[in-house]
Amino acid sequence: MQPVSQTGFRLAPGALDAPAQAVLLNEVLEKAATAPFYRPVTPGGKPMSVEMTNFGPLGWMTDAGGYRYQPTHPATGQPWPEIPEVLLRLWAELADPEVPPDACLVNLYREGAKMGLHQDRDETDFSLPVLSVSLGDTAVFRIGGTSRRDPTTSVRLASGDVCLLAGPARLAHHGIDRIIAGSSRLVPGGGRINLTLRRAGPLA
Ligand code: SIN
Ligand code: MN
């Protein structure tokens, strides 16, 4: 993996080749048929432009009750589907061989969707990385430091790219400025799907 900046953010461009991307996308869409994408609302009551679902024992949620992880889908009340095996293998290889992830947030960005600069800090422990896999349209990703006022860098994340927020970058501010609509034909209906694996609960 390539270090991208002083922050410790690392990028593996094209870690998944085109056939692997297609297989993973199919699996994601199949699982999303039982745990449908929904539009989350911020604690302040604002609908997000990104649609979300989750895989794994815990799923990241936002609504009027605040940010949290929970074991069930807010609309169906059912447990989230299992994390795809290929993602567990990537995590073991690139993030941690001993402790598996217990949460996989699935973000769907249709044309015009974006995500403001934020930190991933709803997990119990920050010692393991966050691993992110991009599918579909290229995203203009922005990454800064642990302080919101730190300078930021913009990095393009294309389909098949895998990146890691590890070490000093684990609590780096990051977000999606925009999606380059039409830059990939992978996602039916257009857009981008991002999968982020985390260890949300305690390590043992
Ligand atoms: C996130 O921070 O939850 C998603 C980042 C991305 O879409 O690449
Ligand atoms: Mn994040």
Side-chain angles (χ1 to χ4, degrees):
M1 293 192 108
Q2 305 169 356
V4 169
S5 67
Q6 301 299 67
T7 65
F9 171 71
R10 290 187 297 151
L11 175 63
L16 294 179
D17 63 14
Q21 292 168 37
V23 168
L24 177 58
L25 179 78
N26 277 338
E27 194 173 346
V28 168
L29 295 180
E30 240 174 68
K31 288 177 187 290
T34 58
F37 285 103
Y38 63 94
R39 190 174 298 278
V41 174
T42 66
K46 218 174 139 221
M48 293 181 77
S49 58
V50 182
E51 293 164 65
M52 292 182 177
T53 186
N54 287 273
F55 303 147
L58 292 171
W60 187 85
M61 274 280 305
T62 170
D63 62 14
Y67 300 143
R68 64 188 177 279
Y69 282 93
Q70 71 174 43
T72 52
H73 190 290
T76 68
Q78 295 301 305
W80 306 104
E82 285 181 12
I83 299 176
E85 196 56 45
V86 59
L87 295 179
L88 296 176
R89 283 202 298 272
L90 269 178
W91 172 278
E93 195 185 315
L94 301 173
D96 193 281
E98 310 286 337
V99 183
D102 58 8
C104 176
L105 172 64
V106 190
N107 291 321
L108 171 62
Y109 300 80
R110 296 291 189 191
E111 190 170 352
K114 54 192 177 189
M115 186 177 286
L117 213 60
H118 66 278
Q119 292 172 293
D120 288 1
R121 53 178 319 137
D122 300 311
E123 301 74 34
T124 308
D125 189 294
F126 302 131
S127 56
L128 294 182
V130 172
L131 183 147
S132 142
V133 178
S134 293
L135 294 174
D137 284 344
T138 295
V140 181
F141 178 78
R142 184 161 295 281
I143 175 139
T146 49
S147 162
R148 178 165 281 275
R149 290 185 305 274
D150 287 339
T152 63
T153 319
S154 137
V155 181
R156 288 188 180 216
L157 297 180
S159 198
D161 290 357
V162 174
C163 63
L164 217 52
L165 292 171
R170 174 61 183 77
L171 287 171
H173 284 77
H174 60 279
I176 297 293
D177 289 350
R178 66 193 170 89
I179 299 304
I180 304 176
S183 51
S184 157
R185 297 178 55 175
L186 186 67
V187 175
R192 169 177 188 257
I193 290 181
N194 175 258
L195 303 129
T196 45
L197 297 170
R198 303 102 187 262
R199 180 73 185 197
L203 299 195

